[in-house]
Amino acid sequence: MRRCYRLLAASLCCVLGLSLVASVSRAADPADTSGLEGKPAPDVTLPTLDGKNVKLADMKGKVVILDFWATWCPPCRKSLPHLQATSIDKAMADKGLVVWAINVRETNEQVTKFLADNKYTFTVPMDPGTVMKEYLVRGIPTTVIVGRDGSIKKVFIGFGDGSEKPMDDAIKAALDEK
């Protein structure tokens, strides 16, 4: 019985030690995307599904939503109807809103089929993973709102019930800035 307790105590110490190492490792990681709020947005150029290139620097004076997503991601699938509604809102577009749904690490064929099946019409730049790294994206969906001045106004990581209103409020605030 004593031997069993010693074995249990040794196992517990091992687990606690590994947990401590893991937490120290996480603390040493660079910031995620939310740490970029208030800073200049990294300039990026990406090819779109329709063969054009989009360049963030060309959007100065507009408010740009960068939404990082993938077809296999359940929270992304949940967020995309809201992104679609935002992208086709004429009043917001007239105020200078641009929406880029940046697909991460998937093929053009996968994404084209997914968009057609779901009747999504937003612009889809294709990221092999480089832009995701520049924006410190650790999980998807990650939505970045870039202001008219080229700085990151707000970052949303994940998507769940009730996410629409804070996003809409942040978009409106960015559009209202001159």
Side-chain angles (χ1 to χ4, degrees):
M1 189 66 139
R2 252 183 172 179
R3 183 178 172 155
C4 185
Y5 283 122
R6 273 190 250 149
L7 190 56
L8 181 61
S11 297
L12 185 59
C13 286
C14 184
V15 168
L16 289 174
L18 289 173
S19 296
L20 179 62
V21 167
S23 68
V24 168
S25 296
R26 276 194 301 273
D29 280 349
D32 64 15
T33 311
S34 60
L36 297 176
E37 283 185 13
K39 297 179 180 166
D43 187 26
V44 295
T45 301
L46 285 170
T48 61
L49 279 176
D50 58 4
K52 298 175 185 167
N53 280 328
V54 291
K55 182 174 174 67
L56 188 59
D58 293 343
M59 298 294 114
K60 196 129 184 161
K62 297 188 180 287
V63 172
V64 183
I65 297 175
L66 307 175
D67 186 79
F68 295 86
W69 69 284
T71 61
W72 51 263
C73 165
C76 299
R77 287 175 174 248
K78 188 173 183 178
S79 74
L80 291 175
H82 180 254
L83 191 67
Q84 173 67 21
T86 303
S87 74
I88 62 172
D89 186 305
K90 184 166 174 21
M92 285 197 278
D94 289 347
K95 289 182 180 180
L97 183 67
V98 174
V99 176
W100 292 350
I102 300 174
N103 182 270
V104 182
R105 297 186 180 137
E106 293 187 286
T107 66
N108 286 17
E109 294 76 23
Q110 287 172 300
V111 176
T112 300
K113 180 178 179 346
F114 179 81
L115 295 175
D117 289 349
N118 290 283
K119 298 178 178 49
Y120 293 138
T121 59
F122 38 67
T123 300
V124 181
M126 300 295 288
D127 180 20
T130 54
V131 172
M132 186 177 171
K133 286 180 186 171
E134 285 184 65
Y135 276 82
L136 306 175
V137 174
R138 302 265 188 261
I140 55 175
T142 292
T143 306
V144 179
I145 300 172
V146 179
R148 297 179 194 282
D149 62 355
S151 68
I152 295 176
K153 300 299 181 183
K154 191 72 180 160
V155 173
F156 296 91
I157 300 172
F159 189 87
D161 292 334
S163 294
E164 295 93 341
K165 180 155 178 26
M167 280 187 192
D168 292 343
D169 291 347
I171 293 166
K172 182 182 180 326
L175 286 170
D176 287 345
E177 285 184 12
K178 297 297 171 198

